[in-house]
C-alpha cells in the first residue's frame, strides 16, 4: 500500500472508531466510578480532604489514591484545589443517602444488565435465567428505602384514582412479584391503614423485602411470602392487587393472573405497570426519544434473555380480559430513567367483575 493510500485508510479507520471509542471511554469511566465508590472515596471526599487523609481513611497507598483522585477530577467526579479534593455537586447528589436508587445498587444493576447482554449472544445457554444473587442486584435497583423514594413512588400510585379510593379508609392489598417491595413499602408508609401481602418467588429477594419492612416500621402490616404467584390460594380476600407483569415469563403469566382474579373481591382493583411497549408498532411513541429508544432496545434484549415478553397495549388488555378482568383505563405516567420503579410509563387498571 502506498503512503497516500495508507494515510487515507488510517483516517477512515479512525473516523469509523469515533463512536466506539466514546463507548469504550464510557465503560472505563463507569469502572472508575464503581471502583471509587466501592473503595469509599465518595464518602472520603464528601468534605474537602487532602490526599494523605483520604489514603489513611481508605488504607490505600498514597500514590494510588493520587492516581485515582486525578482520574476522578479529570472526569468531573471530584473537584481539586492543590492537594485538596472534594466530591463534585452532581456526584454528591447521586451518592447522597436519601436518593431514589443507591449508587452501589445502581452500579450493581448495570453490571447485571451487562451480564445478561453477554448471555444473549451465548449459543450454549438457550435460556440462561438468573441466580438469586443476580435477581437481588436487579431487584435492589428498583429503589432505595428512603424518604425520597417513598414520596416519589407513592405519588406515582396516587395517580391511579381507583387505588386511592380503595385505600382511603383502609384496604387489604396483594402484590404479585414484589421484589424487594419498594413500591409496596412506599404505599404502606403513605397509607397507615393499609395492610398487604407481597409475593416474591426468589427467597433471597424476599428476605431483603422483609428486612426493609422491619427497618421501615411496617412489618406488622406486611406479610412477605417466597412462593410463585400462581400458588396464592386466597379467594376474594383482597380489595386491591398489583401485578409486576414485566418480570413474568410467558409460561407464568396466566397462572399469576388467575391467582389475582381468584384472590380479589368482586369489584376489586388490579393494577399492572408497563415499562416498555414493543419497539415497532408502539401506539404511545416512546421510541421517538433517542435516549429512551436506546434504553428500550437494551431492555428488549434483556427481557428476551429472561424469557419475559414485552407485550403491546392490545396484548396486555386482551390478556387481562381473557383472565376474567374488565379493563378500566390506561394511566399515562412520565417515566424516569431505568432502573427504579419510576421507569413506569403506564399503569393499566382493571377490575374483577
Amino acid at each position: 500500500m502506498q503512503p497516500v493510500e495508507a494515510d487515507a485508510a488510517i483516517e477512515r479507520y479512525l473516523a469509523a472508531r469515533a463512536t466506539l471509542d466514546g463507548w469504550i471511554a464510557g465503560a472505563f469511566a463507569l469502572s472508575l466510578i464503581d471502583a471509587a465508590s466501592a473503595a469509599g472515596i465518595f464518602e472520603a471526599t464528601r468534605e474537602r480532604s487532602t490526599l494523605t487523609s483520604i489514603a489513611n481513611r481508605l488504607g490505600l497507598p498514597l500514590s494510588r489514591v493520587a492516581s485515582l483522585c486525578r482520574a476522578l477530577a479529570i472526569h468531573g467526579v471530584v473537584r481539586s484545589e492543590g492537594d485538596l479534593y472534594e466530591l463534585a455537586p452532581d456526584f454528591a447528589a447521586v451518592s447522597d443517602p436519601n436518593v431514589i436508587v443507591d449508587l452501589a445498587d445502581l452500579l450493581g444493576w448495570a453490571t447485571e444488565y451487562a451480564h445478561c447482554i453477554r448471555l444473549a449472544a451465548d449459543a450454549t445457554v438457550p435460556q440462561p435465567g438468573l441466580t438469586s444473587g443476580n435477581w437481588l442486584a436487579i431487584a435492589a435497583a428498583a429503589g432505595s428505602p428512603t424518604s425520597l423514594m417513598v414520596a416519589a413512588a407513592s405519588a406515582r400510585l396516587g395517580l391511579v384514582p381507583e387505588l386511592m379510593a380503595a385505600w382511603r379508609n383502609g384496604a387489604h392489598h396483594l402484590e404479585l412479584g414484589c421484589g424487594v417491595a419498594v413500591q409496596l413499602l412506599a404505599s404502606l408508609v403513605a397509607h397507615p391503614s393499609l395492610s398487604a401481602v407481597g409475593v416474591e418467588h426468589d427467597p433471597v429477594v424476599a428476605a431483603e423485602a422483609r428486612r426493609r419492612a422491619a427497618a421501615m416500621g411496617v412489618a406488622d402490616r406486611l406479610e412477605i411470602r417466597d412462593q410463585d404467584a400462581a400458588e396464592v390460594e386466597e379467594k376474594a380476600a383482597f380489595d386491591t392487587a398489583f401485578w409486576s407483569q414485566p418480570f413474568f415469563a410467558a409460561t407464568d403469566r396466566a397462572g399469576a393472573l388467575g391467582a389475582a382474579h381468584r384472590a380479589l373481591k368482586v369489584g376489586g382493583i388490579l393494577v399492572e405497570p408497563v415499562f416498555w411497549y414493543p419497539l415497532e408498532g408502539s401506539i404511545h411513541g416512546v421510541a421517538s426519544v433517542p435516549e429512551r429508544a436506546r434504553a428500550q432496545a437494551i431492555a428488549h434484549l434483556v427481557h428476551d434473555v429472561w424469557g419475559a415478553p414485552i407485550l403491546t397495549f392490545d396484548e396486555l388488555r386482551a390478556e387481562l380480559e381473557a383472565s376474567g378482568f374488565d379493563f378500566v383505563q390506561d394511566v399515562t405516567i412520565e417515566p424516569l430513567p431505568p432502573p427504579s420503579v419510576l421507569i413506569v410509563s403506564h399503569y393499566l387498571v382493571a377490575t374483577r367483575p
Side-chain angles (χ1 to χ4, degrees):
M1 182 178 288
Q2 297 298 316
V4 173
E5 293 174 329
D7 289 344
I10 290 170
E11 285 196 22
R12 287 195 301 273
Y13 172 73
L14 294 177
R17 270 195 45 177
T19 298
L20 184 59
D21 286 348
W23 292 344
I24 291 171
F28 290 162
L30 191 60
S31 294
L32 174 65
I33 292 169
D34 195 4
S37 174
I41 288 181
F42 278 45
E43 290 307 310
T45 57
R46 201 166 288 280
E47 301 289 337
R48 189 174 293 189
S49 303
T50 65
L51 289 174
T52 299
S53 66
I54 297 170
N56 290 338
R57 178 170 176 169
L58 303 184
L60 290 173
L62 181 60
S63 61
R64 184 90 47 78
V65 170
S67 295
L68 279 167
C69 286
R70 187 181 304 114
L72 289 168
I74 289 172
H75 283 79
V77 179
V78 299
R79 300 187 296 193
S80 63
E81 186 178 329
D83 188 41
L84 295 172
Y85 287 83
E86 183 179 19
L87 202 56
D90 282 352
F91 285 90
V94 298
S95 62
D96 188 272
N98 187 31
V99 290
I100 289 173
V101 180
D102 178 80
L103 179 61
D105 289 339
L106 181 60
L107 295 170
W109 166 81
T111 298
E112 291 306 328
Y113 253 54
H115 171 66
C116 289
I117 293 166
R118 287 191 292 271
L119 289 178
D122 188 343
T124 66
V125 190
Q127 191 62 62
L130 295 175
T131 67
S132 288
N134 298 132
W135 275 125
L136 181 59
I138 290 170
S144 299
T146 63
S147 60
L148 182 60
M149 174 51 90
V150 167
S154 58
R156 287 301 178 93
L157 284 178
L159 298 174
V160 183
E162 293 83 2
L163 274 185
M164 296 304 100
W167 290 359
R168 278 192 192 101
N169 299 312
H172 197 36
H173 179 63
L174 172 67
E175 181 162 334
L176 300 177
C178 69
V180 295
V182 174
Q183 199 153 245
L184 188 52
L185 293 172
S187 300
L188 288 165
V189 170
H191 300 274
S193 59
L194 184 68
S195 63
V197 171
V199 178
E200 169 54 48
H201 76 97
D202 191 295
V204 175
V205 176
E208 173 61 12
R210 293 189 195 98
R211 186 196 69 77
R212 292 187 178 202
M216 296 177 73
V218 297
D220 60 327
R221 291 187 285 126
L222 175 63
E223 177 190 356
I224 298 291
R225 303 176 185 171
D226 46 282
Q227 64 177 164
D228 288 339
E231 296 173 357
V232 174
E233 296 180 348
E234 283 95 334
K235 295 180 180 179
F238 296 91
D239 302 289
T240 58
F242 188 93
W243 178 38
S244 298
Q245 64 85 18
F247 299 102
F248 278 71
T251 53
D252 299 329
R253 298 178 71 85
L257 272 173
H261 189 276
R262 185 169 61 245
L264 279 171
K265 299 173 183 177
V266 172
I269 304 298
L270 175 68
V271 176
E272 62 181 48
V274 176
F275 299 159
W276 315 100
Y277 285 114
L279 283 166
E280 295 182 3
S282 169
I283 65 169
H284 294 284
V286 293
S288 63
V289 180
E291 294 79 7
R292 188 163 172 83
R294 284 192 285 270
Q296 186 178 11
I298 293 297
H300 274 254
L301 178 61
V302 171
H303 277 251
D304 187 66
V305 170
W306 294 345
I310 293 178
L311 304 180
T312 66
F313 173 83
D314 289 339
E315 288 170 335
L316 290 168
R317 178 168 179 168
E319 186 179 53
L320 284 167
E321 292 173 344
S323 296
F325 288 96
D326 286 343
F327 179 77
V328 175
Q329 69 164 323
D330 171 10
V331 178
T332 301
I333 310 292
E334 183 63 34
L336 270 65
S340 78
V341 293
L342 307 183
I343 189 179
V344 171
S345 61
H346 299 263
Y347 286 122
L348 300 188
V349 183
T351 58
R352 180 193 171 181

